[in-house]
Amino acid sequence: MTDLAWRKSSRCESSSCVELAWRKSSRSSDTANCVEVAVQPGEMFIRDSKDPDGPVLCFGEDAGRAFLDGIRAGEFDRS
């Protein structure tokens, strides 16, 4: 794992909160478009590594993996 960072859940209302470990893509560099992924049982979260306080995509774990596979396959590339 590279660039491990912890982020407290925004839904936390007590001292026993869930924290997410964000993992930066191994293909990321300082000048590329990069994503970070955090996984917890049954859920996957994806965000822009350059905007860690910005929006987060939330998926069921299987749907998140399918989304990442689509990115790798170029399914969402602009022509």
Side-chain angles (χ1 to χ4, degrees):
M1 272 195 259
T2 60
D3 197 42
L4 186 63
W6 292 93
R7 177 180 176 185
K8 188 180 279 190
S9 171
S10 62
R11 297 181 185 175
C12 180
E13 295 179 7
S14 70
S15 61
S16 58
C17 300
V18 174
E19 293 187 357
L20 299 174
W22 290 98
R23 187 177 63 170
K24 193 173 193 176
S25 168
S26 60
R27 297 182 183 197
S28 294
S29 69
D30 291 338
T31 59
N33 294 324
C34 308
V35 296
E36 292 178 320
V37 176
V39 178
Q40 65 180 30
E43 296 180 293
M44 179 181 287
F45 306 93
I46 302 171
R47 68 181 181 185
D48 180 347
S49 63
K50 293 184 195 85
D51 188 11
D53 294 322
V56 175
L57 299 175
C58 302
F59 296 95
E61 194 169 350
D62 291 338
R65 293 193 190 287
F67 180 70
L68 291 176
D69 288 343
I71 291 171
R72 286 185 198 103
E75 192 174 317
F76 305 106
D77 291 353
R78 295 181 185 180
S79 315

